[in-house]
Amino acid sequence: MTYANKEQIRPAVEDLGADTVSRFLLASAEYLGLCEGSACDQPPAPQTGTLLSPTRNTVRLACACGSMDQTQTITDRRQVMNQKFQSFQALGAGMLTIAALAAASPGTFAADPIIRIDGSSTVFPITEAVAEDFQKLRKGTVRVTVGISGTGGGFKKFCRGETDISDASRPILRKEMNDCKANGVQYLELPVAYDAITIVVNPNNDFVKSMTVADLKRIWEPAAQGKINNWNQINPAWPNLPLKLYGPGADSGTFDYFTEAIVGKSKSGRGDYTASEDDNVLVQGVARDKGGLGYFGFAYYVENQKRLKAVPIDGGKGPVPPGPRTVEDGTYQPLSRPIFIYVSARSIARPEVREFVEFYLKNAPKLVKEVKYVPLPAHAYTLALEHFNKKKLGTVFGGEAEVGLNIEDLLKREAKL
């Protein structure tokens, strides 16, 4: 991509006036999704855009979502100018100004394609690794943005048509299917890896050697709220130490799967715990609290295993630790699961999205292992790529949660919208 030099740009910008520049910035922010990434049910609203100094090449953008405010500072003048003109193209406004700047440097402000991805924090490390390698391969001619608003939050955006791909740590649910249908959003469901939901405690916890599914249910079921607050209430052999809980929020697919597998009903659990869609927040909480207990995807445990202790889980056949071998052989139950990406059928008409998904599936075995998840069998990726190329739309789950999933059986099912 080429840009006009700064001396050509600055006088034209200053001539526009502060109010016009602010409108340009807000339109660009909304179009480019610069305020995405916060936990919003509705699209985040850009509030103000101010040109702080043409000579310092600095612009400040304030974003708001409900009571949440965040400020981003963009210091690259060329990026800001490019964003303004992307918004112009999208909104069909300011044609005279575009013409004037284009005349100063013809062909200068062509926009790079953007692939927008959001959703599961569990799937995020895989998709982020794929995005990084893909952008290097394309030498910066395609931009890939990856957000972490949780599986549920990601599906809200996806079914509104705001994203091209949705990361998901559980299958799409019936309500989400209906939302997509109402908005004319069709999709392809592609498994990309295995995960082991990992139960962790503080490394100074020397009394928990393993836990049963019944122990976990006693801790996390709705009836435990306000009542089960100490470790000795779970097992009288454990000390009278305050139990501090950390887990994913209600928009998380990991929360959905965990409550289905452990409590027996998806989205049913106690509410008096520290919740976050960002697994790093949960890691930090357990790591600093001796009485802490939490759960999240296996990769986050591996990356922080010096700060945490993983707890073997007894699903009825003795304690089993989480790990690649126990996930592959099916003994780490009921907390093993496949994880997915969902691709918009409309988006795959764009060559950059199609190439990205093909790159994802072809490179997943290496990159999944690199970020400490468990790859699917090689033929599973081949079959997923075949389904993608044949545009097999829909889900094989029918909008219902399932536990103890076998990838071989899933790949044989017929997808339906």
Side-chain angles (χ1 to χ4, degrees):
M1 180 187 298
T2 58
Y3 298 87
N5 69 52
K6 189 162 59 179
E7 297 311 312
Q8 289 176 313
I9 292 173
R10 188 179 298 143
V13 172
E14 290 170 342
D15 287 345
L16 294 175
D19 185 56
T20 305
V21 168
S22 180
R23 289 200 302 271
F24 288 174
L25 290 172
L26 294 181
S28 297
E30 185 171 2
Y31 174 63
L32 295 173
L34 293 182
C35 290
E36 290 179 3
S38 54
C40 299
D41 285 341
Q42 299 298 322
Q47 282 193 321
T48 60
T50 309
L51 186 65
L52 297 184
S53 166
T55 56
R56 287 171 51 206
N57 298 336
T58 304
V59 166
R60 175 159 293 130
L61 170 69
C63 305
C65 177
S67 60
M68 181 184 297
D69 288 317
Q70 61 186 39
T71 300
Q72 303 177 5
T73 299
I74 305 168
T75 57
D76 187 340
R77 154 68 55 188
R78 297 171 302 175
Q79 179 186 355
V80 171
M81 289 304 299
N82 195 40
Q83 289 165 356
K84 291 177 190 178
F85 285 93
Q86 286 178 15
S87 72
F88 270 136
Q89 292 163 351
L91 300 173
M95 298 306 295
L96 292 175
T97 307
I98 294 177
L101 288 178
S105 182
T108 291
F109 296 102
D112 286 339
I114 300 175
I115 301 172
R116 288 185 173 82
I117 306 172
D118 207 321
S120 168
S121 61
T122 301
V123 186
F124 172 80
I126 305 171
T127 300
E128 182 188 39
V130 174
E132 184 178 330
D133 283 6
F134 180 75
Q135 289 175 107
K136 286 179 183 176
L137 178 70
R138 292 296 301 269
K139 302 185 186 305
T141 60
V142 177
R143 179 179 164 216
V144 184
T145 64
V146 187
I148 48 171
S149 56
T151 297
F155 274 131
K156 288 174 185 175
K157 294 181 180 182
F158 183 73
C159 292
R160 291 195 297 253
E162 296 172 15
T163 55
D164 303 301
I165 297 171
S166 205
D167 290 340
S169 60
R170 50 109 176 124
I172 190 168
L173 300 177
R174 174 61 61 186
K175 182 184 182 303
E176 294 158 344
M177 293 171 66
N178 292 338
D179 289 343
C180 278
K181 186 175 182 179
N183 291 318
V185 175
Q186 297 183 316
Y187 48 84
L188 294 87
E189 176 183 78
L190 301 170
V192 294
Y194 283 122
D195 179 37
I197 295 178
T198 303
I199 310 300
V200 296
V201 294
N202 186 278
N204 294 320
N205 181 324
D206 57 2
F207 54 87
V208 173
K209 308 302 181 186
S210 67
M211 299 183 80
T212 66
V213 170
D215 291 335
L216 293 174
K217 181 176 182 180
R218 183 167 171 76
I219 293 170
W220 288 100
E221 65 186 344
Q225 182 161 330
K227 298 178 181 177
I228 304 298
N229 300 313
N230 292 282
W231 282 95
N232 64 348
Q233 292 177 275
I234 307 156
N235 185 329
W238 294 342
N240 185 21
L241 177 71
L243 173 66
K244 299 298 179 68
L245 298 175
Y246 300 85
D251 263 347
S252 166
T254 300
F255 170 80
D256 293 343
Y257 189 90
F258 181 85
T259 50
E260 178 74 29
I262 299 301
V263 178
K265 183 180 180 182
S266 181
K267 298 185 180 295
S268 176
R270 67 191 296 172
D272 56 342
Y273 69 97
T274 300
S276 177
E277 311 299 344
D278 185 346
D279 292 339
N280 291 303
V281 172
L282 309 181
V283 167
Q284 292 165 13
V286 177
R288 67 171 176 254
D289 196 328
K290 186 177 179 181
L293 178 143
Y295 67 92
F296 36 74
F298 182 67
Y300 287 90
Y301 160 68
V302 174
E303 288 297 314
N304 296 278
Q305 55 189 307
K306 291 182 180 178
R307 306 168 61 199
L308 302 166
K309 184 169 81 170
V311 180
I313 302 303
D314 186 348
K317 297 181 179 179
V320 178
R325 182 183 59 80
T326 58
V327 169
E328 288 172 352
D329 66 19
T331 58
Y332 187 70
Q333 291 294 344
L335 295 179
S336 295
R337 56 176 178 166
I339 52 183
F340 308 86
I341 60 172
Y342 286 75
V343 185
S344 165
R346 184 181 301 135
S347 295
I348 62 174
R350 290 161 39 206
E352 66 273 9
V353 175
R354 188 166 59 252
E355 290 170 22
F356 176 80
V357 175
E358 290 173 350
F359 181 87
Y360 200 128
L361 295 174
K362 289 175 182 177
N363 291 272
K366 178 188 73 169
L367 294 175
V368 165
K369 191 175 292 187
E370 188 178 291
V371 298
K372 313 304 181 188
Y373 284 112
V374 183
L376 304 176
H379 71 274
Y381 291 111
T382 302
L383 192 53
L385 186 58
E386 182 182 311
H387 288 176
F388 175 70
N389 289 329
K390 290 181 177 178
K391 296 183 181 179
K392 288 198 171 184
L393 301 177
T395 173
V396 301
F397 295 93
E400 302 298 328
E402 293 186 42
V403 174
L405 304 168
N406 180 299
I407 197 67
E408 303 291 343
D409 292 336
L410 292 182
L411 290 168
K412 292 175 185 174
R413 295 184 189 179
E414 282 298 316
K416 296 178 181 178
L417 287 168

